[in-house]
Structure formats: C-alpha cells, structure tokens
mmCIF file of all heavy atoms in Angstrom:
data_model
loop_
_atom_site.group_PDB
_atom_site.id
_atom_site.type_symbol
_atom_site.label_atom_id
_atom_site.label_comp_id
_atom_site.label_asym_id
_atom_site.label_seq_id
_atom_site.Cartn_x
_atom_site.Cartn_y
_atom_site.Cartn_z
ATOM 1 N N ARG A 9 7.838 -12.459 -12.901
ATOM 2 C CA ARG A 9 6.714 -11.538 -12.987
ATOM 3 C C ARG A 9 7.240 -10.127 -13.248
ATOM 4 O O ARG A 9 8.207 -9.687 -12.632
ATOM 5 C CB ARG A 9 5.932 -11.557 -11.674
ATOM 6 C CG ARG A 9 4.621 -10.800 -11.776
ATOM 7 C CD ARG A 9 3.904 -10.524 -10.477
ATOM 8 N NE ARG A 9 4.299 -11.224 -9.285
ATOM 9 C CZ ARG A 9 3.845 -10.901 -8.087
ATOM 10 N NH1 ARG A 9 2.984 -9.907 -7.932
ATOM 11 N NH2 ARG A 9 4.235 -11.565 -7.023
ATOM 12 N N MET A 10 6.581 -9.418 -14.157
ATOM 13 C CA MET A 10 7.003 -8.072 -14.486
ATOM 14 C C MET A 10 6.553 -7.092 -13.398
ATOM 15 O O MET A 10 5.562 -7.317 -12.692
ATOM 16 C CB MET A 10 6.406 -7.645 -15.830
ATOM 17 C CG MET A 10 6.885 -8.465 -17.014
ATOM 18 S SD MET A 10 8.634 -8.225 -17.391
ATOM 19 C CE MET A 10 9.347 -9.721 -16.691
ATOM 20 N N LEU A 11 7.281 -5.999 -13.279
ATOM 21 C CA LEU A 11 6.919 -4.954 -12.333
ATOM 22 C C LEU A 11 5.777 -4.113 -12.901
ATOM 23 O O LEU A 11 5.551 -4.092 -14.110
ATOM 24 C CB LEU A 11 8.135 -4.076 -12.040
ATOM 25 C CG LEU A 11 9.286 -4.776 -11.300
ATOM 26 C CD1 LEU A 11 10.474 -3.843 -11.184
ATOM 27 C CD2 LEU A 11 8.847 -5.257 -9.930
ATOM 28 N N PRO A 12 5.015 -3.426 -12.046
ATOM 29 C CA PRO A 12 3.870 -2.655 -12.554
ATOM 30 C C PRO A 12 4.308 -1.487 -13.423
ATOM 31 O O PRO A 12 5.417 -0.967 -13.274
ATOM 32 C CB PRO A 12 3.184 -2.168 -11.264
ATOM 33 C CG PRO A 12 4.237 -2.207 -10.228
ATOM 34 C CD PRO A 12 5.124 -3.348 -10.589
ATOM 35 N N PRO A 13 3.456 -1.049 -14.355
ATOM 36 C CA PRO A 13 3.784 0.128 -15.166
ATOM 37 C C PRO A 13 3.823 1.389 -14.325
ATOM 38 O O PRO A 13 3.430 1.406 -13.153
ATOM 39 C CB PRO A 13 2.658 0.166 -16.210
ATOM 40 C CG PRO A 13 1.551 -0.590 -15.601
ATOM 41 C CD PRO A 13 2.169 -1.636 -14.740
ATOM 42 N N GLU A 14 4.271 2.457 -14.949
ATOM 43 C CA GLU A 14 4.518 3.695 -14.208
ATOM 44 C C GLU A 14 3.254 4.250 -13.551
ATOM 45 O O GLU A 14 3.304 4.756 -12.429
ATOM 46 C CB GLU A 14 5.113 4.740 -15.157
ATOM 47 C CG GLU A 14 5.542 6.022 -14.479
ATOM 48 C CD GLU A 14 6.200 6.981 -15.451
ATOM 49 O OE1 GLU A 14 6.392 6.607 -16.612
ATOM 50 O OE2 GLU A 14 6.502 8.117 -15.033
ATOM 51 N N ASP A 15 2.101 4.124 -14.224
ATOM 52 C CA ASP A 15 0.881 4.700 -13.666
ATOM 53 C C ASP A 15 0.307 3.874 -12.515
ATOM 54 O O ASP A 15 -0.615 4.346 -11.835
ATOM 55 C CB ASP A 15 -0.176 4.859 -14.765
ATOM 56 C CG ASP A 15 -0.499 3.535 -15.438
ATOM 57 O OD1 ASP A 15 0.387 2.661 -15.472
ATOM 58 O OD2 ASP A 15 -1.630 3.368 -15.929
ATOM 59 N N LEU A 16 0.814 2.665 -12.271
ATOM 60 C CA LEU A 16 0.329 1.832 -11.169
ATOM 61 C C LEU A 16 1.321 1.729 -10.012
ATOM 62 O O LEU A 16 1.009 1.116 -8.993
ATOM 63 C CB LEU A 16 0.008 0.422 -11.669
ATOM 64 C CG LEU A 16 -1.208 0.278 -12.590
ATOM 65 C CD1 LEU A 16 -1.385 -1.163 -13.019
ATOM 66 C CD2 LEU A 16 -2.474 0.779 -11.906
ATOM 67 N N VAL A 17 2.495 2.317 -10.165
ATOM 68 C CA VAL A 17 3.507 2.218 -9.111
ATOM 69 C C VAL A 17 3.012 2.877 -7.832
ATOM 70 O O VAL A 17 3.203 2.352 -6.715
ATOM 71 C CB VAL A 17 4.835 2.852 -9.591
ATOM 72 C CG1 VAL A 17 5.817 2.988 -8.439
ATOM 73 C CG2 VAL A 17 5.455 2.009 -10.693
ATOM 74 N N ARG A 18 2.337 4.017 -7.953
ATOM 75 C CA ARG A 18 1.859 4.727 -6.768
ATOM 76 C C ARG A 18 0.850 3.878 -5.987
ATOM 77 O O ARG A 18 0.859 3.882 -4.752
ATOM 78 C CB ARG A 18 1.229 6.053 -7.180
ATOM 79 C CG ARG A 18 0.677 6.861 -6.025
ATOM 80 C CD ARG A 18 0.139 8.195 -6.478
ATOM 81 N NE ARG A 18 1.188 9.045 -7.015
ATOM 82 C CZ ARG A 18 0.976 10.274 -7.481
ATOM 83 N NH1 ARG A 18 -0.255 10.776 -7.481
ATOM 84 N NH2 ARG A 18 1.972 10.984 -7.959
ATOM 85 N N TYR A 19 -0.006 3.160 -6.706
ATOM 86 C CA TYR A 19 -1.023 2.352 -6.014
ATOM 87 C C TYR A 19 -0.386 1.203 -5.250
ATOM 88 O O TYR A 19 -0.741 0.941 -4.093
ATOM 89 C CB TYR A 19 -2.029 1.807 -7.038
ATOM 90 C CG TYR A 19 -3.153 1.008 -6.419
ATOM 91 C CD1 TYR A 19 -4.309 1.630 -5.972
ATOM 92 C CD2 TYR A 19 -3.059 -0.380 -6.263
ATOM 93 C CE1 TYR A 19 -5.341 0.903 -5.387
ATOM 94 C CE2 TYR A 19 -4.079 -1.111 -5.685
ATOM 95 C CZ TYR A 19 -5.214 -0.466 -5.253
ATOM 96 O OH TYR A 19 -6.229 -1.183 -4.674
ATOM 97 N N TYR A 20 0.559 0.484 -5.880
ATOM 98 C CA TYR A 20 1.124 -0.719 -5.258
ATOM 99 C C TYR A 20 2.261 -0.416 -4.287
ATOM 100 O O TYR A 20 2.766 -1.336 -3.638
ATOM 101 C CB TYR A 20 1.597 -1.688 -6.336
ATOM 102 C CG TYR A 20 0.451 -2.321 -7.090
ATOM 103 C CD1 TYR A 20 0.202 -2.001 -8.415
ATOM 104 C CD2 TYR A 20 -0.407 -3.206 -6.463
ATOM 105 C CE1 TYR A 20 -0.862 -2.565 -9.102
ATOM 106 C CE2 TYR A 20 -1.474 -3.773 -7.137
ATOM 107 C CZ TYR A 20 -1.692 -3.449 -8.452
ATOM 108 O OH TYR A 20 -2.761 -4.010 -9.126
ATOM 109 N N THR A 21 2.662 0.848 -4.176
ATOM 110 C CA THR A 21 3.633 1.225 -3.148
ATOM 111 C C THR A 21 2.960 1.944 -1.989
ATOM 112 O O THR A 21 3.650 2.372 -1.052
ATOM 113 C CB THR A 21 4.716 2.138 -3.746
ATOM 114 O OG1 THR A 21 4.089 3.253 -4.404
ATOM 115 C CG2 THR A 21 5.580 1.377 -4.743
ATOM 116 N N ASP A 22 1.638 2.075 -2.030
ATOM 117 C CA ASP A 22 0.887 2.745 -0.974
ATOM 118 C C ASP A 22 0.481 1.728 0.090
ATOM 119 O O ASP A 22 -0.161 0.713 -0.218
ATOM 120 C CB ASP A 22 -0.351 3.422 -1.566
ATOM 121 C CG ASP A 22 -0.994 4.389 -0.585
ATOM 122 O OD1 ASP A 22 -0.639 4.360 0.603
ATOM 123 O OD2 ASP A 22 -1.866 5.179 -1.018
ATOM 124 N N ALA A 23 0.835 1.991 1.339
ATOM 125 C CA ALA A 23 0.508 1.065 2.432
ATOM 126 C C ALA A 23 -0.989 1.027 2.705
ATOM 127 O O ALA A 23 -1.512 0.017 3.178
ATOM 128 C CB ALA A 23 1.260 1.471 3.697
ATOM 129 N N ARG A 24 -1.710 2.111 2.407
ATOM 130 C CA ARG A 24 -3.158 2.120 2.636
ATOM 131 C C ARG A 24 -3.879 1.136 1.718
ATOM 132 O O ARG A 24 -4.944 0.632 2.059
ATOM 133 C CB ARG A 24 -3.713 3.526 2.432
ATOM 134 C CG ARG A 24 -3.250 4.523 3.485
ATOM 135 C CD ARG A 24 -3.697 5.917 3.140
ATOM 136 N NE ARG A 24 -3.091 6.367 1.893
ATOM 137 C CZ ARG A 24 -3.333 7.558 1.327
ATOM 138 N NH1 ARG A 24 -4.174 8.402 1.902
ATOM 139 N NH2 ARG A 24 -2.737 7.902 0.201
ATOM 140 N N ASN A 25 -3.295 0.849 0.548
ATOM 141 C CA ASN A 25 -3.859 -0.138 -0.376
ATOM 142 C C ASN A 25 -3.312 -1.531 -0.129
ATOM 143 O O ASN A 25 -3.675 -2.460 -0.854
ATOM 144 C CB ASN A 25 -3.574 0.274 -1.826
ATOM 145 C CG ASN A 25 -4.159 1.628 -2.159
ATOM 146 O OD1 ASN A 25 -5.227 1.998 -1.681
ATOM 147 N ND2 ASN A 25 -3.456 2.381 -2.999
ATOM 148 N N ARG A 26 -2.427 -1.668 0.864
ATOM 149 C CA ARG A 26 -1.755 -2.932 1.187
ATOM 150 C C ARG A 26 -0.967 -3.442 -0.031
ATOM 151 O O ARG A 26 -0.980 -4.629 -0.353
ATOM 152 C CB ARG A 26 -2.739 -4.004 1.658
ATOM 153 C CG ARG A 26 -3.629 -3.578 2.814
ATOM 154 C CD ARG A 26 -2.826 -3.221 4.051
ATOM 155 N NE ARG A 26 -3.702 -2.961 5.195
ATOM 156 C CZ ARG A 26 -4.138 -1.760 5.563
ATOM 157 N NH1 ARG A 26 -3.780 -0.689 4.852
ATOM 158 N NH2 ARG A 26 -4.911 -1.594 6.609
ATOM 159 N N GLY A 27 -0.300 -2.509 -0.708
ATOM 160 C CA GLY A 27 0.475 -2.866 -1.887
ATOM 161 C C GLY A 27 1.644 -3.769 -1.568
ATOM 162 O O GLY A 27 2.263 -3.664 -0.497
ATOM 163 N N TYR A 28 1.967 -4.646 -2.491
ATOM 164 C CA TYR A 28 3.049 -5.599 -2.246
ATOM 165 C C TYR A 28 4.426 -4.956 -2.340
ATOM 166 O O TYR A 28 5.427 -5.572 -1.957
ATOM 167 C CB TYR A 28 2.936 -6.778 -3.219
ATOM 168 C CG TYR A 28 3.306 -6.487 -4.656
ATOM 169 C CD1 TYR A 28 4.348 -7.161 -5.283
ATOM 170 C CD2 TYR A 28 2.615 -5.548 -5.407
ATOM 171 C CE1 TYR A 28 4.689 -6.922 -6.595
ATOM 172 C CE2 TYR A 28 2.932 -5.313 -6.727
ATOM 173 C CZ TYR A 28 3.972 -5.991 -7.317
ATOM 174 O OH TYR A 28 4.293 -5.731 -8.638
ATOM 175 N N LEU A 29 4.500 -3.722 -2.839
ATOM 176 C CA LEU A 29 5.771 -3.005 -2.889
ATOM 177 C C LEU A 29 5.882 -1.959 -1.783
ATOM 178 O O LEU A 29 6.832 -1.186 -1.767
ATOM 179 C CB LEU A 29 5.921 -2.319 -4.262
ATOM 180 C CG LEU A 29 5.930 -3.238 -5.482
ATOM 181 C CD1 LEU A 29 6.029 -2.422 -6.754
ATOM 182 C CD2 LEU A 29 7.091 -4.233 -5.407
ATOM 183 N N ALA A 30 4.914 -1.926 -0.869
ATOM 184 C CA ALA A 30 4.919 -0.930 0.206
ATOM 185 C C ALA A 30 5.892 -1.334 1.312
ATOM 186 O O ALA A 30 6.227 -2.516 1.477
ATOM 187 C CB ALA A 30 3.509 -0.762 0.765
ATOM 188 N N ASP A 31 6.307 -0.355 2.097
ATOM 189 C CA ASP A 31 7.191 -0.595 3.236
ATOM 190 C C ASP A 31 6.420 -1.359 4.310
ATOM 191 O O ASP A 31 5.337 -0.925 4.733
ATOM 192 C CB ASP A 31 7.674 0.749 3.784
ATOM 193 C CG ASP A 31 8.744 0.581 4.852
ATOM 194 O OD1 ASP A 31 9.036 -0.580 5.219
ATOM 195 O OD2 ASP A 31 9.281 1.599 5.324
ATOM 196 N N PRO A 32 6.927 -2.518 4.795
ATOM 197 C CA PRO A 32 6.184 -3.295 5.811
ATOM 198 C C PRO A 32 5.886 -2.503 7.085
ATOM 199 O O PRO A 32 4.832 -2.699 7.702
ATOM 200 C CB PRO A 32 7.115 -4.477 6.090
ATOM 201 C CG PRO A 32 7.942 -4.613 4.858
ATOM 202 C CD PRO A 32 8.125 -3.232 4.348
ATOM 203 N N SER A 33 6.790 -1.612 7.500
ATOM 204 C CA SER A 33 6.529 -0.824 8.701
ATOM 205 C C SER A 33 5.360 0.137 8.496
ATOM 206 O O SER A 33 4.533 0.346 9.398
ATOM 207 C CB SER A 33 7.782 -0.051 9.096
ATOM 208 O OG SER A 33 8.173 0.840 8.054
ATOM 209 N N LYS A 34 5.271 0.701 7.294
ATOM 210 C CA LYS A 34 4.144 1.594 7.002
ATOM 211 C C LYS A 34 2.835 0.819 6.871
ATOM 212 O O LYS A 34 1.768 1.334 7.193
ATOM 213 C CB LYS A 34 4.423 2.377 5.723
ATOM 214 C CG LYS A 34 5.572 3.370 5.845
ATOM 215 C CD LYS A 34 5.745 4.170 4.566
ATOM 216 C CE LYS A 34 6.874 5.189 4.719
ATOM 217 N NZ LYS A 34 7.059 5.980 3.472
ATOM 218 N N VAL A 35 2.914 -0.431 6.415
ATOM 219 C CA VAL A 35 1.712 -1.263 6.340
ATOM 220 C C VAL A 35 1.169 -1.526 7.741
ATOM 221 O O VAL A 35 -0.050 -1.481 7.971
ATOM 222 C CB VAL A 35 2.014 -2.586 5.607
ATOM 223 C CG1 VAL A 35 0.839 -3.546 5.703
ATOM 224 C CG2 VAL A 35 2.350 -2.317 4.143
ATOM 225 N N ALA A 36 2.067 -1.791 8.708
ATOM 226 C CA ALA A 36 1.621 -2.013 10.085
ATOM 227 C C ALA A 36 0.957 -0.765 10.653
ATOM 228 O O ALA A 36 -0.062 -0.845 11.362
ATOM 229 C CB ALA A 36 2.825 -2.427 10.945
ATOM 230 N N GLU A 37 1.505 0.415 10.332
ATOM 231 C CA GLU A 37 0.880 1.660 10.793
ATOM 232 C C GLU A 37 -0.483 1.865 10.146
ATOM 233 O O GLU A 37 -1.434 2.309 10.806
ATOM 234 C CB GLU A 37 1.800 2.838 10.484
ATOM 235 C CG GLU A 37 3.122 2.810 11.229
ATOM 236 C CD GLU A 37 4.049 3.938 10.808
ATOM 237 O OE1 GLU A 37 3.625 4.728 9.926
ATOM 238 O OE2 GLU A 37 5.170 4.017 11.327
ATOM 239 N N ALA A 38 -0.579 1.529 8.855
ATOM 240 C CA ALA A 38 -1.858 1.694 8.159
ATOM 241 C C ALA A 38 -2.916 0.742 8.711
ATOM 242 O O ALA A 38 -4.101 1.080 8.754
ATOM 243 C CB ALA A 38 -1.659 1.470 6.661
ATOM 244 N N ARG A 39 -2.510 -0.445 9.147
ATOM 245 C CA ARG A 39 -3.455 -1.384 9.746
ATOM 246 C C ARG A 39 -4.044 -0.806 11.039
ATOM 247 O O ARG A 39 -5.246 -0.909 11.296
ATOM 248 C CB ARG A 39 -2.757 -2.717 10.029
ATOM 249 C CG ARG A 39 -2.507 -3.562 8.800
ATOM 250 C CD ARG A 39 -1.564 -4.725 9.102
ATOM 251 N NE ARG A 39 -2.064 -5.575 10.169
ATOM 252 C CZ ARG A 39 -2.835 -6.643 9.979
ATOM 253 N NH1 ARG A 39 -3.187 -6.976 8.751
ATOM 254 N NH2 ARG A 39 -3.233 -7.382 10.999
ATOM 255 N N LEU A 40 -3.187 -0.170 11.854
ATOM 256 C CA LEU A 40 -3.666 0.432 13.100
ATOM 257 C C LEU A 40 -4.582 1.624 12.827
ATOM 258 O O LEU A 40 -5.602 1.807 13.500
ATOM 259 C CB LEU A 40 -2.468 0.871 13.958
ATOM 260 C CG LEU A 40 -1.627 -0.259 14.566
ATOM 261 C CD1 LEU A 40 -0.388 0.299 15.239
ATOM 262 C CD2 LEU A 40 -2.460 -1.057 15.567
ATOM 263 N N GLU A 41 -4.229 2.443 11.851
ATOM 264 C CA GLU A 41 -5.068 3.601 11.514
ATOM 265 C C GLU A 41 -6.446 3.154 11.027
ATOM 266 O O GLU A 41 -7.465 3.755 11.389
ATOM 267 C CB GLU A 41 -4.371 4.438 10.441
ATOM 268 C CG GLU A 41 -3.124 5.152 10.923
ATOM 269 C CD GLU A 41 -2.445 5.934 9.809
ATOM 270 O OE1 GLU A 41 -3.009 5.944 8.679
ATOM 271 O OE2 GLU A 41 -1.385 6.520 10.060
ATOM 272 N N LEU A 42 -6.481 2.101 10.225
ATOM 273 C CA LEU A 42 -7.769 1.619 9.723
ATOM 274 C C LEU A 42 -8.618 1.038 10.850
ATOM 275 O O LEU A 42 -9.845 1.201 10.863
ATOM 276 C CB LEU A 42 -7.533 0.562 8.638
ATOM 277 C CG LEU A 42 -8.736 0.189 7.770
ATOM 278 C CD1 LEU A 42 -9.238 1.400 6.990
ATOM 279 C CD2 LEU A 42 -8.382 -0.931 6.804
ATOM 280 N N ALA A 43 -7.972 0.371 11.819
ATOM 281 C CA ALA A 43 -8.710 -0.165 12.956
ATOM 282 C C ALA A 43 -9.313 0.958 13.798
ATOM 283 O O ALA A 43 -10.455 0.857 14.274
ATOM 284 C CB ALA A 43 -7.797 -1.040 13.804
ATOM 285 N N LYS A 44 -8.576 2.061 13.978
ATOM 286 C CA LYS A 44 -9.113 3.203 14.716
ATOM 287 C C LYS A 44 -10.256 3.861 13.956
ATOM 288 O O LYS A 44 -11.239 4.307 14.565
ATOM 289 C CB LYS A 44 -8.000 4.216 14.966
ATOM 290 C CG LYS A 44 -6.915 3.735 15.909
ATOM 291 C CD LYS A 44 -5.828 4.786 16.069
ATOM 292 C CE LYS A 44 -4.717 4.286 16.985
ATOM 293 N NZ LYS A 44 -3.623 5.302 17.117
ATOM 294 N N LYS A 45 -10.138 3.909 12.643
ATOM 295 C CA LYS A 45 -11.171 4.569 11.830
ATOM 296 C C LYS A 45 -12.495 3.831 11.923
ATOM 297 O O LYS A 45 -13.561 4.458 12.028
ATOM 298 C CB LYS A 45 -10.701 4.646 10.380
ATOM 299 C CG LYS A 45 -11.702 5.309 9.445
ATOM 300 C CD LYS A 45 -11.161 5.418 8.038
ATOM 301 C CE LYS A 45 -12.190 6.066 7.119
ATOM 302 N NZ LYS A 45 -11.674 6.188 5.720
ATOM 303 N N TYR A 46 -12.464 2.484 11.879
ATOM 304 C CA TYR A 46 -13.704 1.699 11.896
ATOM 305 C C TYR A 46 -14.056 1.184 13.292
ATOM 306 O O TYR A 46 -15.059 0.489 13.454
ATOM 307 C CB TYR A 46 -13.596 0.526 10.914
ATOM 308 C CG TYR A 46 -13.720 0.967 9.476
ATOM 309 C CD1 TYR A 46 -12.597 1.264 8.722
ATOM 310 C CD2 TYR A 46 -14.964 1.111 8.867
ATOM 311 C CE1 TYR A 46 -12.701 1.682 7.404
ATOM 312 C CE2 TYR A 46 -15.086 1.522 7.547
ATOM 313 C CZ TYR A 46 -13.941 1.805 6.820
ATOM 314 O OH TYR A 46 -14.059 2.223 5.507
#
C-alpha cells in the first residue's frame, strides 16, 4: 500500500482523527480528551 500524499499526511498523523500513522500514546490521550468533552 502506498503512503498518503503530502497534503494528507497531516490528517493521518493526527491522533484526534485516529490516523493510522499517529503516535499510539497520543491516540490514547486523544481518546480520554474526547470522553471528557462528550
């Protein structure tokens, strides 16, 4: 599978979007923040 183009790298490395290239530790933090928000 090819890697995303340059204009989509920011989206798929963002933990708030649950991107597959995001840092797993930041994804866990984003999950907690979203739970507090809702």
Side-chain angles (χ1 to χ4, degrees):
R9 190 192 346 170
M10 296 293 102
L11 294 175
E14 186 176 355
D15 58 332
L16 290 179
V17 170
R18 179 177 296 180
Y19 182 88
Y20 290 110
T21 54
D22 193 347
R24 292 173 297 178
N25 301 325
R26 306 299 186 266
Y28 73 119
L29 299 178
D31 188 355
S33 60
K34 293 183 178 180
V35 171
E37 296 175 0
R39 285 168 57 91
L40 290 173
E41 291 178 3
L42 194 62
K44 293 178 182 178
K45 180 177 179 180
Y46 285 93

